[in-house]
Amino acid sequence: MRIAIYPGSFDPLTNGHLSIIHRALGMFDRVIVAVAVNPKKVPLFSEEERKELIRQSCPDPRVEVDAFQGLLVEYAKSRGVNVLLRGLRAVSDFEYEFQLANMNRKLAPGIETVFMMTGEDYFYVSSQLVREVASFGGDVKELVPPGVLQSLRAKYSKAP
């Protein structure tokens, strides 16, 4: 069985992320969407909220949603997976992702990184940009799945 791990903060999940997931299902039998939990960062959505939003947005049974802390390669080893899927939006992403892929290869030579370009409709979309626009009341309905849109509206309607 061909399995890939698609890691990220997914804070929040965007349509760009969904594009990668759906296209990856054409290449892999299963995709594990792994929410990275970084105790040094304060996300807008909790780990559980992010996982639930991904599950709602990706009901395909071939998509598993999980979370991890620490090194991604250690998580991949613990899951018995040797392919990491990384999305690229623009050339600016490539340098950082290239460094990560090479560090991961150094740490775990048996784990490969596969890069997938985000669809042209979403190459400019990032979770950070979506949060910022939504926080000012901007319309992000074309950029995120419906459940994420509702959750963003709920979060920011409670803001002072």
Side-chain angles (χ1 to χ4, degrees):
M1 184 176 258
R2 296 169 302 162
I3 303 170
I5 293 175
Y6 180 35
S9 62
F10 306 107
D11 188 36
L13 180 76
T14 69
N15 287 339
H17 294 131
L18 283 179
S19 171
I20 297 277
I21 294 166
H22 292 303
R23 289 171 35 227
L25 288 171
M27 298 170 57
F28 300 97
D29 300 310
R30 224 171 81 218
V31 175
I32 300 170
V33 180
V35 174
V37 178
N38 184 343
K40 294 180 183 178
K41 292 186 178 180
V42 180
L44 176 62
F45 292 101
S46 71
E47 172 189 336
E48 287 306 316
E49 287 172 320
R50 288 182 278 165
K51 287 167 50 178
E52 184 54 33
L53 288 170
I54 296 166
R55 283 187 194 104
Q56 288 173 8
S57 303
C58 301
D60 191 306
R62 298 172 298 158
V63 175
E64 178 186 340
V65 182
D66 198 7
F68 74 98
Q69 283 188 7
L71 292 173
L72 175 57
V73 292
E74 293 303 321
Y75 172 73
K77 286 179 193 177
S78 76
R79 296 300 311 265
V81 176
N82 65 352
V83 176
L84 305 176
L85 178 63
R86 300 295 295 180
L88 295 174
R89 292 177 305 224
V91 175
S92 57
D93 285 349
F94 181 75
E95 185 175 352
Y96 176 71
E97 293 294 341
F98 183 73
Q99 288 175 326
L100 278 180
N102 282 299
M103 178 58 78
N104 286 338
R105 188 174 323 154
K106 182 76 170 166
L107 295 171
I111 296 177
E112 292 294 336
T113 300
V114 173
F115 295 110
M116 186 176 283
M117 297 300 299
T118 301
E120 69 262 4
D121 293 346
Y122 304 112
F123 74 91
Y124 64 94
V125 178
S126 70
S127 293
Q128 180 180 345
L129 185 59
V130 165
R131 286 192 313 269
E132 187 170 341
V133 170
S135 75
F136 288 109
D139 185 5
V140 295
K141 73 179 173 213
E142 301 295 321
L143 308 178
V144 297
V148 172
L149 180 63
Q150 288 177 330
S151 295
L152 281 167
R153 288 178 174 161
K155 286 277 185 189
Y156 287 120
S157 70
K158 295 176 186 173

